[in-house]
Amino acid sequence: MLVGVVGKPNVGKSTFFAAATMKDVPIADFPFTTIQPNVGVAHIKTKCVCREMGVTDTPRNSACVNGTRLVPVKIVDVAGLVEGASKGKGLGNQFLDDIRQADALIQVVDASGSTDLEGRKVPPGSHDPLEDVAMVEHEFDLWMFGILKRDWEKATRSLEQTGGKVVDHLAERLSGLSVSYGDVEQVILHLHLRTEKPSSWTDDQLMQFAVETRRLTKPSLVAANKADLPSSPANIEALRKTGRKVVPCASEAELLLRKAAEHGLVEYAPGDPSFAPKDPQKLSPAQANALRMVDEKVMKAYGGTGVQDAINQAFFDLLSAIVVFPVEDETRLTDKDGRVLPDAFILKGGSTALDLARTVHSELAETFLYAIDARTGKRLGADHKLSNRDVVKIVSSGKRG
Ligand SMILES: Nc1nc2c(ncn2[C@@H]2O[C@H](COP(=O)(O)OP(=O)(O)OP(=O)(O)O)[C@@H](O)[C@H]2O)c(=O)[nH]1
Ligand SMILES: [Mg+2]
């Protein structure tokens, strides 16, 4: 699973990314600072099963902090998108190509309204961030429309002559965008499009198809960034009124707190609603002042920086993700080296025991026999849908074929 961090230029996408991954990436207050995408590892936070199962765990692929599991997830920060990008403006389609594989999107906006539609600095509050959200979505739709429209007439004529299926054609065209055959079917059904005569679809209908396909396959939330600035709260309210999922964010504050924690200056973990200076005497006046501002403008105002929240919501709410703990010994909850609850994997909602096997190791999937639920000792078949926080042993024959 991959989540893309998108938005117009200069809104704080890379700051959000850096705060979430602690990767050092270029950040600056002008548009198009990022050109090549940044890929990194963030963590989602979820309640670990160690306490419930009465064990002390020794995690390997993840971390357990006071009963909270931090599970690695991949995110990608891309170049800013401007109006006309689908026709080559700004950095053009480059941005869109970089998020093809994303399963969900975090759209970062400058909630303070201090950057115009192209990301240039303007007086705070003078630009309406609602315009940015609509622009980014529309550009995405135009891009998908463009991919489909390119050879639409020729392709549909040929489909009608040979008896080919338009669903196959669309799924094939969009396969690189993480759009499945089932997704295409669902959208066509929803829009009541005539599959027997696709050549009769109007441009409006094809565009509508792009809009609905985006909504289904690239669910998104708005990270209302720069929430610490005075002009932000009113815009955050307005963004919420559109019915979108909105998470107020202060990425810069998160980055500052994480760095301060790394240097031992404060007690803080991502997602915490507050922080505490470890030794106030050690702080320089500038550091003390910066932390006081963060406390006042972010922690007290919003109950946290929102960065961890946005990541958690992208995976758990938009993608209905589940976290599953595979083990080799279902009574001791260990792997072959005796590590207790070594791994936690994040899977799409609806994933099966066989999907888990595939995630652990392709060979395990090829020789899969059945799985065992460590809580109940019950056998689970390949198609058994797993639940969040399941602890599962996979039994395989070890022999291919
Ligand atoms: N006040 C405030 N400023 C922020 C926040 N997050 C980012 N910024 C500032 O916004 C500016 C742009 O940040 P970037 O992270 O480079 O923005 P971007 O969206 O990646 O920009 P491009 O790569 O050019 O598209 C920088 O000056 C950041 O310091 C925030 O939470 N609050
Ligand atoms: Mg950037």
Side-chain angles (χ1 to χ4, degrees), residues 352-394:
T352 62
L354 186 59
D355 291 329
L356 173 64
R358 214 172 277 131
T359 307
V360 176
H361 203 292
S362 61
E363 200 171 310
L364 205 54
E366 285 164 31
T367 60
F368 181 94
L369 295 174
Y370 58 92
I372 300 171
D373 180 331
R375 279 197 186 81
T376 61
K378 277 199 183 130
R379 272 194 187 202
L380 312 171
D383 294 338
H384 175 86
K385 282 203 170 68
L386 298 171
S387 300
N388 193 31
R389 305 175 70 247
D390 270 353
V391 184
V392 178
K393 173 185 167 67
I394 290 165

Side-chain angles (χ1 to χ4, degrees), residues 8-15 26-34 77 79-80 225-226 228-229 249-252:
K8 77 171 185 187
N10 208 8
V11 291
K13 298 180 295 300
S14 298
T15 311
I27 292 170
D29 70 344
F30 49 79
F32 299 120
T33 301
T34 306
D77 160 44
N225 197 39
K226 308 191 190 175
D228 50 288
L229 296 177
C249 272
S251 304
E252 209 171 42

Side-chain angles (χ1 to χ4, degrees), residues 67-84:
T68 296
R69 217 17 116 104
L70 303 176
V71 186
V73 290
K74 224 164 83 174
I75 64 173
V76 55
D77 160 44
V78 300
L81 177 75
V82 292
E83 200 165 21

